[in-house]
Amino acid sequence: MTTRNGRAAVDDTVAAVVRQWQTVHPDIDTGPMEVIGRINRCAALLQQAEDAPLRRAGLTRAEFDLLGALRRTGHELTPGDLARETFSSGAAVTKRLKQLQERGLVGRRGDTRDRRVSHLSLTDAGRDLVDALLPDQLAYEKTVLSGLGGAGQGQLGVLLGELLGQLEGRPGGPRA
């Protein structure tokens, strides 16, 4: 079944919002809202559920992202490197790093040539925590995506990759 704009009919919270807007402004194309609204709603719901194991471990999503960046790169990073890796501001990274250091999850080493620079790494406790949480995170994601099937997951991955490339302004996509 398709709607008047040729898109597949879906009955979800975003569809209800779109119907309301179409009633108020029938002349406006709500197609973008159908996509962006669903992406935003999915992101919010995924983050709520996915963050539960992090909260139990006493971490925020942003703190886990910092720990994860240190774990996946496999080497020391500066606070600036971490800001770039996690799409965070320098001030936010500094605040989070302080908390993670106080918890004994991140170690800091000064630069021998420039005292203004510090190098950060995971402590054994930090590495163990990331390694313990990651399988739960991935298992949850696998369960969520299982309803789509392999082909659906692949298609969604490709389409979201294309959208992300456009938003990040990579070659081949229009710049925002």
Side-chain angles (χ1 to χ4, degrees):
M1 177 179 189
T2 58
T3 63
R4 65 181 171 85
N5 59 11
R7 293 181 179 86
V10 179
D11 191 25
D12 58 21
T13 55
V14 172
V17 169
V18 167
R19 283 192 300 272
Q20 291 169 340
W21 277 117
Q22 288 173 341
T23 300
V24 175
H25 286 292
D27 55 322
I28 294 178
D29 177 15
T30 56
M33 186 182 297
E34 294 177 40
V35 175
I36 302 300
R38 287 189 176 100
I39 289 172
N40 287 336
R41 180 80 175 133
C42 285
L45 292 170
L46 285 168
Q47 192 157 357
Q48 278 179 349
E50 240 187 319
D51 286 354
L54 302 180
R55 283 191 302 275
R56 285 192 297 273
L59 291 174
T60 65
R61 160 68 48 194
E63 290 169 336
F64 182 74
D65 288 347
L66 289 176
L67 296 174
L70 286 167
R71 182 68 173 123
R72 74 176 184 268
T73 59
H75 56 82
E76 293 180 330
L77 296 173
T78 66
D81 295 334
L82 276 172
R84 284 185 293 282
E85 284 285 330
T86 61
F87 310 105
S88 301
S89 71
V93 167
T94 299
K95 178 183 174 186
R96 292 177 192 130
L97 284 172
K98 183 176 187 272
Q99 295 165 339
L100 293 170
Q101 279 185 269
E102 289 171 358
R103 290 186 58 192
L105 301 173
V106 173
R108 183 182 298 258
R109 176 184 66 79
D111 191 282
T112 55
R113 290 176 282 173
D114 186 344
R115 292 185 330 199
R116 298 170 296 174
V117 177
S118 60
H119 301 275
L120 305 154
S121 61
L122 287 177
T123 62
D124 290 342
R127 186 174 31 265
D128 291 347
L129 182 59
V130 171
D131 288 350
L133 289 171
L134 187 60
D136 289 341
Q137 297 292 104
L138 292 173
Y140 172 75
E141 292 171 4
K142 184 176 182 177
T143 300
V144 167
L145 294 174
S146 66
L148 295 178
Q153 289 178 39
Q155 290 173 326
L156 183 58
V158 167
L159 291 172
L160 289 172
E162 290 174 8
L163 178 60
L164 183 60
Q166 289 179 20
L167 293 171
E168 290 179 341
R170 285 194 225 134
R175 296 190 183 261

